[in-house]
Structure formats: structure tokens, C-alpha cells
Amino acid sequence: MKITIEGNPEEIATAITGMQTATTFQMQAMIGQLEAERFSNAMKSVSNIFNIKKNKEAEGGHHES
């Protein structure tokens, strides 16, 4: 299969480089989004642990009284 691209070779090279750069930025954005979600999930886990601890302390208080 042969693909022929007509036009100024410099403009074509610039366009290809631009597409590669855009793809790189898109991938970095996706990785950043995944890291943000991971961080958010970690914070939820920490929050849940603190809430469980608070609830246990609250239950312990009720049992003592």
C-alpha cells in the first residue's frame, strides 16, 4: 500500500510533528486524570478510615454510659 501526500514537505513535516505533540499532550492529560482519580480515591479511603474510627469511638462511648 502506497500513500502519496502532496504539498510542501516542510509544511507536512510541521503538521506531523504538531500531531505527535498533540498526541503526547493528550496522553499526559489522560495520565494526569488517572493520577487525580487515584489521589481522590486515596483521600476517600483516608476519610473512610477516619470516619470508621470516629464511629467506633462514638459506639464505645455509648456502651460505656
Side-chain angles (χ1 to χ4, degrees):
M1 185 171 152
K2 185 180 176 185
I3 299 170
T4 305
I5 301 172
E6 292 181 9
N8 182 334
E10 286 179 18
E11 288 177 3
I12 294 166
T14 302
I16 292 170
T17 304
M19 287 189 290
Q20 288 172 336
T21 303
T23 303
T24 302
F25 279 132
Q26 190 177 12
M27 288 175 72
Q28 287 173 342
M30 289 167 71
I31 291 166
Q33 190 176 1
L34 286 171
E35 287 175 353
E37 286 176 21
R38 217 178 275 157
F39 179 77
S40 175
N41 288 339
M43 293 308 290
K44 285 178 192 168
S45 295
V46 169
S47 176
N48 288 341
I49 290 166
F50 280 119
N51 287 337
I52 290 167
K53 201 171 185 183
K54 277 187 201 171
N55 290 342
K56 282 186 179 176
E57 286 173 6
E59 286 173 14
H62 289 306
H63 291 302
E64 288 171 14
S65 57

